[in-house]
Amino acid sequence: MIRYPRRGETVPRPPVPLRGGKKGNARKEREHNAPHLASGDKDKLKFGLYKHDDVRQALHQLFGRKCVFCESSLLGTQPGDIEHYRPKGEASVLDPASGKHRPISAGYPWLAASWSNLLLSCADCNRPRRQVDGAGAVRVMGKSCLFPLADEKARAATPWAVRREAALLLNPRRDDPDLHLAFTDEGGITARRGEGGASARGAATITCCGLDRAELVEMRLRHAKTVMAAIRHIILALEQGREPDDDLDDLLALLAPHSSYVAFTRHLVRTHLSPYLDKLGLAP
Ligand SMILES: [Zn+2]
């Protein structure tokens, strides 16, 4: 999981269907929904704009054709789920006893057509189903409507109360996941440990999205073989006094934000190429 856009890069404008303004579709959708939200008549709510083809295209451009949570490529396999960071409908938390999703609030319907609230996810990170984790345990994984908070008492029921919430789920459009997630060379993932212990946000994100599911760990391990081959060739070239041209190009391509498993690739580069990073001009 990485941050989009990277620090210093421009935040892209909302795609046309989501723009505001007096005649904007987003405004019309909000105005249609307002009385039904006030009366609690959920059946009359309309949430269609976020699914517009232009919105999907804009999300593909921003995130590349990959899942924002696990960084698996969606190319040639699935269009990807347009996922609301804060759920547009009922919000849930994980029940620690049963491991099932437990509804906790009516959610954040006013953010249904908010560009900054939209993400792109693969089916396995988003849709709840029983999967095996890296330790061999079976549990329900998939973000779906999960939105845990550090303090449930601060749960927002109105737009202006959102700023008081301390979300546990990492938002790749706001947060730097690198501060909260750590990898092993074998493709494992854990909450990064700091002075205050393991990151609660990292742990919650791993649990909600199943970032430690066994098949995903296996995919990262396969990916490591490609990355490590490039790293070994680069080190060999440098030690022999040669320029690592093609191998460095390969590694730079693997580090490009739209490539798969970039956060994990950065981990491997920092771990195994650190004495050479300055010479190569790399700062992953
Ligand atoms: Zn995913």
Side-chain angles (χ1 to χ4, degrees):
M1 193 172 179
I2 59 173
R3 187 177 187 273
Y4 299 89
R6 299 192 74 174
R7 285 192 192 287
E9 291 179 348
T10 310
V11 178
R13 290 188 70 202
V16 170
L18 300 184
R19 284 185 195 162
K22 289 182 181 175
K23 294 180 181 175
N25 288 327
R27 185 189 182 105
K28 287 178 190 166
E29 188 172 281
R30 274 199 301 273
E31 286 177 351
H32 168 88
N33 286 337
H36 307 307
L37 286 171
S39 66
D41 195 349
K42 292 181 187 175
D43 293 341
K44 291 185 177 166
L45 295 174
K46 284 185 182 172
F47 299 122
L49 287 177
Y50 78 91
K51 292 185 281 193
H52 194 285
D53 279 348
D54 291 353
V55 176
R56 182 178 294 280
Q57 287 302 320
L59 289 169
H60 285 175
Q61 272 192 354
L62 175 59
F63 300 124
R65 285 293 305 277
K66 68 174 187 179
C67 171
V68 297
F69 299 115
C70 72
E71 294 198 85
S72 296
S73 175
L74 304 171
L75 269 176
T77 59
Q78 52 184 303
D81 293 352
I82 297 178
E83 171 61 10
H84 290 83
Y85 173 67
R86 282 184 164 83
K88 68 183 186 310
E90 206 167 57
S92 304
V93 294
L94 270 179
D95 185 287
S98 67
K100 293 180 178 174
H101 294 194
R102 178 166 56 86
I104 195 91
S105 84
Y108 308 83
W110 62 88
L111 294 175
S114 169
W115 172 231
S116 61
N117 193 46
L118 297 183
L119 303 171
L120 189 65
S121 173
C122 73
D124 273 354
C125 282
N126 187 31
R127 303 180 197 176
R129 71 180 180 94
R130 288 165 67 82
Q131 299 190 68
V132 182
D133 70 18
V138 178
R139 68 171 203 269
V140 175
M141 303 180 195
K143 176 192 173 292
S144 185
C145 298
L146 290 176
F147 198 70
L149 300 180
D151 178 5
E152 190 54 48
K153 291 194 291 295
R155 175 80 61 183
T158 53
W160 45 89
V162 163
R163 67 187 64 182
R164 291 202 298 269
E165 288 187 339
L168 286 176
L169 191 78
L170 292 169
N171 182 353
R173 300 185 70 154
R174 290 184 66 105
D175 303 309
D176 184 355
D178 196 34
L179 301 175
H180 302 275
L181 300 171
F183 294 91
T184 68
D185 285 5
E186 292 72 36
I189 188 168
T190 56
R192 189 176 288 284
R193 298 196 72 82
E195 289 179 1
S199 164
R201 301 194 69 195
T205 305
I206 292 170
T207 301
C208 288
C209 301
L211 299 184
D212 58 343
R213 58 188 184 266
E215 289 185 358
L216 182 57
V217 174
E218 170 67 22
M219 289 301 290
R220 284 194 293 256
L221 182 58
R222 291 187 198 183
H223 179 75
K225 291 177 181 166
T226 306
V227 178
M228 288 307 298
I231 288 175
R232 277 194 299 272
H233 293 161
I234 288 169
I235 292 174
L236 185 65
L238 292 174
E239 290 182 348
Q240 291 177 345
R242 293 184 285 110
E243 290 293 326
D245 298 332
D246 290 348
D247 294 309
L248 183 55
D249 289 345
D250 290 346
L251 188 61
L252 289 173
L254 291 166
L255 287 166
H258 287 179
S259 297
S260 301
Y261 310 125
V262 173
F264 179 51
T265 304
R266 289 177 186 164
H267 156 80
L268 293 171
V269 168
R270 286 182 196 136
T271 304
H272 298 280
L273 208 53
S274 56
Y276 307 93
L277 292 181
D278 285 347
K279 192 169 186 177
L280 293 166
L282 284 176

